[in-house]
Tab-separated table of all heavy atoms in Angstrom:
chain	number	residue	atom	x	y	z
A	215	SER	N	153.318	116.364	83.381
A	215	SER	CA	153.039	117.183	82.197
A	215	SER	C	153.463	118.630	82.425
A	215	SER	O	153.367	119.457	81.512
A	215	SER	CB	151.542	117.151	81.867
A	215	SER	OG	150.786	117.761	82.908
A	216	LEU	N	153.970	118.946	83.616
A	216	LEU	CA	154.273	120.331	83.982
A	216	LEU	C	155.767	120.642	84.011
A	216	LEU	O	156.168	121.694	84.495
A	216	LEU	CB	153.669	120.641	85.357
A	216	LEU	CG	152.160	120.461	85.488
A	216	LEU	CD1	151.725	120.689	86.931
A	216	LEU	CD2	151.414	121.414	84.555
A	217	PHE	N	156.595	119.729	83.500
A	217	PHE	CA	158.035	119.931	83.603
A	217	PHE	C	158.501	121.215	82.924
A	217	PHE	O	159.422	121.889	83.406
A	217	PHE	CB	158.798	118.728	83.051
A	217	PHE	CG	158.962	117.617	84.050
A	217	PHE	CD1	158.607	116.320	83.733
A	217	PHE	CD2	159.491	117.873	85.302
A	217	PHE	CE1	158.760	115.300	84.652
A	217	PHE	CE2	159.657	116.862	86.227
A	217	PHE	CZ	159.286	115.566	85.907
A	218	GLU	N	157.904	121.578	81.809
A	218	GLU	CA	158.308	122.806	81.120
A	218	GLU	C	158.108	124.018	82.023
A	218	GLU	O	158.993	124.882	82.149
A	218	GLU	CB	157.515	122.964	79.828
A	218	GLU	CG	157.884	124.212	79.035
A	218	GLU	CD	157.090	124.345	77.740
A	218	GLU	OE1	156.435	123.359	77.322
A	218	GLU	OE2	157.145	125.436	77.150
A	219	GLN	N	156.952	124.086	82.683
A	219	GLN	CA	156.667	125.213	83.573
A	219	GLN	C	157.539	125.155	84.826
A	219	GLN	O	157.953	126.188	85.351
A	219	GLN	CB	155.187	125.213	83.962
A	219	GLN	CG	154.245	125.531	82.819
A	219	GLN	CD	153.817	124.302	82.033
A	219	GLN	OE1	154.428	123.237	82.133
A	219	GLN	NE2	152.754	124.446	81.253
A	220	VAL	N	157.816	123.944	85.294
A	220	VAL	CA	158.657	123.795	86.484
A	220	VAL	C	160.062	124.289	86.200
A	220	VAL	O	160.664	125.017	87.003
A	220	VAL	CB	158.674	122.321	86.951
A	220	VAL	CG1	159.734	122.105	88.031
A	220	VAL	CG2	157.297	121.911	87.476
A	221	ARG	N	160.613	123.915	85.038
A	221	ARG	CA	161.958	124.373	84.687
A	221	ARG	C	161.993	125.898	84.538
A	221	ARG	O	162.936	126.562	84.962
A	221	ARG	CB	162.430	123.695	83.400
A	221	ARG	CG	162.901	122.254	83.601
A	221	ARG	CD	163.592	121.742	82.358
A	221	ARG	NE	162.639	121.518	81.271
A	221	ARG	CZ	162.042	120.348	81.045
A	221	ARG	NH1	162.296	119.318	81.816
A	221	ARG	NH2	161.200	120.209	80.040
A	222	ALA	N	160.943	126.451	83.939
A	222	ALA	CA	160.888	127.906	83.753
A	222	ALA	C	160.808	128.646	85.087
A	222	ALA	O	161.247	129.800	85.190
A	222	ALA	CB	159.689	128.275	82.880
A	223	ALA	N	160.253	127.985	86.096
A	223	ALA	CA	160.096	128.622	87.408
A	223	ALA	C	161.409	128.697	88.180
A	223	ALA	O	161.507	129.425	89.176
A	223	ALA	CB	159.056	127.871	88.233
A	224	GLY	N	162.413	127.944	87.744
A	224	GLY	CA	163.713	128.000	88.382
A	224	GLY	C	163.736	127.455	89.801
A	224	GLY	O	164.475	127.956	90.656
A	225	VAL	N	162.941	126.423	90.057
A	225	VAL	CA	162.897	125.837	91.396
A	225	VAL	C	164.017	124.824	91.581
A	225	VAL	O	164.639	124.370	90.614
A	225	VAL	CB	161.524	125.184	91.665
A	225	VAL	CG1	160.417	126.217	91.572
A	225	VAL	CG2	161.262	124.034	90.701
A	226	ASP	N	164.241	124.455	92.832
A	226	ASP	CA	165.278	123.466	93.148
A	226	ASP	C	164.730	122.045	93.150
A	226	ASP	O	165.480	121.094	92.910
A	226	ASP	CB	165.877	123.760	94.524
A	226	ASP	CG	166.440	125.162	94.613
A	226	ASP	OD1	167.261	125.512	93.738
A	226	ASP	OD2	166.049	125.905	95.539
A	227	VAL	N	163.444	121.896	93.429
A	227	VAL	CA	162.850	120.565	93.533
A	227	VAL	C	161.377	120.638	93.152
A	227	VAL	O	160.721	121.665	93.368
A	227	VAL	CB	163.022	119.985	94.965
A	227	VAL	CG1	162.317	120.851	96.003
A	227	VAL	CG2	162.529	118.534	95.048
A	228	PHE	N	160.881	119.569	92.575
A	228	PHE	CA	159.473	119.471	92.185
A	228	PHE	C	158.868	118.279	92.902
A	228	PHE	O	159.321	117.146	92.742
A	228	PHE	CB	159.367	119.288	90.666
A	228	PHE	CG	157.966	119.170	90.130
A	228	PHE	CD1	156.905	119.846	90.707
A	228	PHE	CD2	157.711	118.379	89.000
A	228	PHE	CE1	155.612	119.748	90.190
A	228	PHE	CE2	156.436	118.272	88.472
A	228	PHE	CZ	155.383	118.955	89.064
A	229	LEU	N	157.833	118.537	93.718
A	229	LEU	CA	157.114	117.470	94.421
A	229	LEU	C	155.750	117.294	93.786
A	229	LEU	O	154.971	118.240	93.698
A	229	LEU	CB	156.964	117.787	95.904
A	229	LEU	CG	156.332	116.677	96.748
A	229	LEU	CD1	156.897	116.686	98.167
A	229	LEU	CD2	154.809	116.772	96.810
A	230	THR	N	155.466	116.063	93.347
A	230	THR	CA	154.194	115.753	92.724
A	230	THR	C	153.959	114.246	92.845
A	230	THR	O	154.510	113.606	93.750
A	230	THR	CB	154.173	116.246	91.255
A	230	THR	OG1	152.869	116.094	90.719
A	230	THR	CG2	155.188	115.503	90.407
A	231	ALA	N	153.168	113.677	91.932
A	231	ALA	CA	152.873	112.246	91.980
A	231	ALA	C	152.859	111.665	90.567
A	231	ALA	O	152.807	112.395	89.576
A	231	ALA	CB	151.516	111.994	92.652
A	232	ASP	N	152.928	110.354	90.505
A	232	ASP	CA	152.778	109.612	89.244
A	232	ASP	C	153.838	109.948	88.207
A	232	ASP	O	153.562	109.956	87.000
A	232	ASP	CB	151.396	109.851	88.622
A	232	ASP	CG	150.258	109.351	89.478
A	232	ASP	OD1	150.512	108.499	90.353
A	232	ASP	OD2	149.117	109.807	89.277
A	233	LEU	N	155.063	110.225	88.634
A	233	LEU	CA	156.109	110.562	87.671
A	233	LEU	C	156.504	109.326	86.870
A	233	LEU	O	156.881	108.294	87.430
A	233	LEU	CB	157.331	111.128	88.388
A	233	LEU	CG	157.137	112.520	88.978
A	233	LEU	CD1	158.391	112.978	89.690
A	233	LEU	CD2	156.739	113.522	87.902
A	234	ARG	N	156.429	109.455	85.530
A	234	ARG	CA	156.789	108.358	84.634
A	234	ARG	C	158.281	108.389	84.317
A	234	ARG	O	158.938	109.420	84.477
A	234	ARG	CB	155.975	108.459	83.341
A	234	ARG	CG	154.470	108.268	83.540
A	234	ARG	CD	153.724	108.642	82.275
A	234	ARG	NE	153.882	110.059	81.979
A	234	ARG	CZ	153.599	110.614	80.805
A	234	ARG	NH1	153.189	109.866	79.801
A	234	ARG	NH2	153.756	111.916	80.633
A	235	HIS	N	158.790	107.257	83.852
A	235	HIS	CA	160.222	107.096	83.630
A	235	HIS	C	160.787	108.141	82.665
A	235	HIS	O	161.745	108.845	83.001
A	235	HIS	CB	160.507	105.691	83.085
A	235	HIS	CG	161.945	105.481	82.700
A	235	HIS	ND1	162.895	105.039	83.593
A	235	HIS	CD2	162.601	105.684	81.514
A	235	HIS	CE1	164.071	104.968	82.979
A	235	HIS	NE2	163.923	105.348	81.719
A	236	HIS	N	160.233	108.247	81.479
A	236	HIS	CA	160.836	109.100	80.463
A	236	HIS	C	160.801	110.586	80.811
A	236	HIS	O	161.834	111.266	80.716
A	236	HIS	CB	160.201	108.837	79.090
A	236	HIS	CG	160.500	107.467	78.560
A	236	HIS	ND1	161.762	107.063	78.218
A	236	HIS	CD2	159.686	106.397	78.335
A	236	HIS	CE1	161.727	105.802	77.799
A	236	HIS	NE2	160.486	105.382	77.862
A	237	PRO	N	159.651	111.138	81.235
A	237	PRO	CA	159.686	112.558	81.619
A	237	PRO	C	160.628	112.828	82.791
A	237	PRO	O	161.330	113.845	82.810
A	237	PRO	CB	158.230	112.855	82.001
A	237	PRO	CG	157.426	111.837	81.261
A	237	PRO	CD	158.272	110.605	81.246
A	238	ALA	N	160.663	111.911	83.760
A	238	ALA	CA	161.544	112.097	84.911
A	238	ALA	C	163.007	112.014	84.479
A	238	ALA	O	163.851	112.813	84.915
A	238	ALA	CB	161.243	111.065	85.986
A	239	SER	N	163.309	111.066	83.609
A	239	SER	CA	164.679	110.910	83.131
A	239	SER	C	165.136	112.155	82.377
A	239	SER	O	166.258	112.649	82.569
A	239	SER	CB	164.780	109.680	82.229
A	239	SER	OG	166.077	109.539	81.682
A	240	GLU	N	164.285	112.676	81.519
A	240	GLU	CA	164.630	113.872	80.757
A	240	GLU	C	164.846	115.076	81.674
A	240	GLU	O	165.733	115.905	81.438
A	240	GLU	CB	163.538	114.160	79.730
A	240	GLU	CG	163.500	113.127	78.604
A	240	GLU	CD	162.281	113.289	77.714
A	240	GLU	OE1	161.530	114.268	77.904
A	240	GLU	OE2	162.077	112.429	76.836
A	241	ALA	N	164.048	115.162	82.744
A	241	ALA	CA	164.206	116.263	83.689
A	241	ALA	C	165.537	116.176	84.425
A	241	ALA	O	166.123	117.198	84.796
A	241	ALA	CB	163.063	116.266	84.701
A	242	ARG	N	166.033	114.959	84.594
A	242	ARG	CA	167.300	114.758	85.298
A	242	ARG	C	168.512	114.934	84.380
A	242	ARG	O	169.621	115.105	84.856
A	242	ARG	CB	167.341	113.348	85.913
A	242	ARG	CG	166.352	113.120	87.040
A	242	ARG	CD	166.707	113.942	88.253
A	242	ARG	NE	168.089	113.700	88.669
A	242	ARG	CZ	168.867	114.607	89.253
A	242	ARG	NH1	168.417	115.815	89.481
A	242	ARG	NH2	170.111	114.311	89.605
A	243	GLU	N	168.299	114.869	83.067
A	243	GLU	CA	169.424	114.904	82.125
A	243	GLU	C	169.682	116.285	81.529
A	243	GLU	O	170.482	116.423	80.629
A	243	GLU	CB	169.179	113.898	80.991
A	243	GLU	CG	169.173	112.438	81.439
A	243	GLU	CD	170.491	111.998	82.041
A	243	GLU	OE1	171.551	112.500	81.596
A	243	GLU	OE2	170.472	111.168	82.971
A	244	THR	N	169.015	117.294	82.013
A	244	THR	CA	169.229	118.651	81.499
A	244	THR	C	170.518	119.230	82.077
A	244	THR	O	171.131	118.658	82.980
A	244	THR	CB	168.045	119.557	81.878
A	244	THR	OG1	167.940	119.608	83.304
A	244	THR	CG2	166.745	119.025	81.288
A	245	SER	N	170.927	120.386	81.563
A	245	SER	CA	172.159	121.014	82.039
A	245	SER	C	172.056	121.421	83.503
A	245	SER	O	173.055	121.505	84.216
A	245	SER	CB	172.484	122.248	81.181
A	245	SER	OG	171.416	123.171	81.215
A	246	ARG	N	170.829	121.704	83.953
A	246	ARG	CA	170.596	121.985	85.374
A	246	ARG	C	169.582	120.974	85.880
A	246	ARG	O	168.384	121.242	85.883
A	246	ARG	CB	170.077	123.414	85.567
A	246	ARG	CG	169.940	123.834	87.038
A	246	ARG	CD	169.474	125.288	87.145
A	246	ARG	NE	169.363	125.710	88.525
A	246	ARG	CZ	168.260	125.558	89.268
A	246	ARG	NH1	167.187	124.995	88.752
A	246	ARG	NH2	168.242	125.972	90.518
A	247	PRO	N	170.068	119.793	86.290
A	247	PRO	CA	169.149	118.717	86.678
A	247	PRO	C	168.182	119.162	87.768
A	247	PRO	O	168.563	119.855	88.724
A	247	PRO	CB	170.088	117.620	87.186
A	247	PRO	CG	171.389	117.899	86.532
A	247	PRO	CD	171.478	119.396	86.430
A	248	LEU	N	166.932	118.761	87.606
A	248	LEU	CA	165.887	119.110	88.556
A	248	LEU	C	165.720	117.978	89.560
A	248	LEU	O	165.568	116.817	89.174
A	248	LEU	CB	164.577	119.342	87.797
A	248	LEU	CG	163.336	119.682	88.617
A	248	LEU	CD1	163.504	121.053	89.277
A	248	LEU	CD2	162.106	119.685	87.712
A	249	ALA	N	165.768	118.294	90.831
A	249	ALA	CA	165.505	117.286	91.858
A	249	ALA	C	164.008	116.975	91.873
A	249	ALA	O	163.174	117.876	91.702
A	249	ALA	CB	165.964	117.781	93.223
A	250	LEU	N	163.672	115.717	92.074
A	250	LEU	CA	162.279	115.269	92.026
A	250	LEU	C	161.916	114.519	93.305
A	250	LEU	O	162.705	113.722	93.807
A	250	LEU	CB	162.058	114.348	90.826
A	250	LEU	CG	162.443	114.899	89.453
A	250	LEU	CD1	162.313	113.828	88.392
A	250	LEU	CD2	161.592	116.117	89.105
A	251	VAL	N	160.731	114.782	93.790
A	251	VAL	CA	160.176	114.034	94.913
A	251	VAL	C	158.800	113.557	94.479
A	251	VAL	O	157.923	114.366	94.163
A	251	VAL	CB	160.080	114.895	96.188
A	251	VAL	CG1	159.399	114.109	97.308
A	251	VAL	CG2	161.466	115.347	96.628
A	252	ASP	N	158.641	112.241	94.432
A	252	ASP	CA	157.423	111.624	93.906
A	252	ASP	C	156.683	110.913	95.035
A	252	ASP	O	157.203	109.966	95.634
A	252	ASP	CB	157.799	110.624	92.805
A	252	ASP	CG	156.581	109.982	92.169
A	252	ASP	OD1	155.892	110.675	91.410
A	252	ASP	OD2	156.322	108.795	92.439
Side-chain angles (χ1 to χ4, degrees):
S215 65
L216 302 175
F217 276 129
E218 181 179 347
Q219 292 89 344
V220 170
R221 282 191 289 268
V225 300
D226 303 307
V227 62
F228 180 33
L229 185 148
T230 188
D232 297 340
L233 289 179
R234 295 169 296 165
H235 174 88
H236 293 294
S239 177
E240 291 171 6
R242 293 292 306 149
E243 294 299 327
T244 60
S245 58
R246 186 178 181 272
L248 178 67
L250 305 174
V251 176
D252 182 73

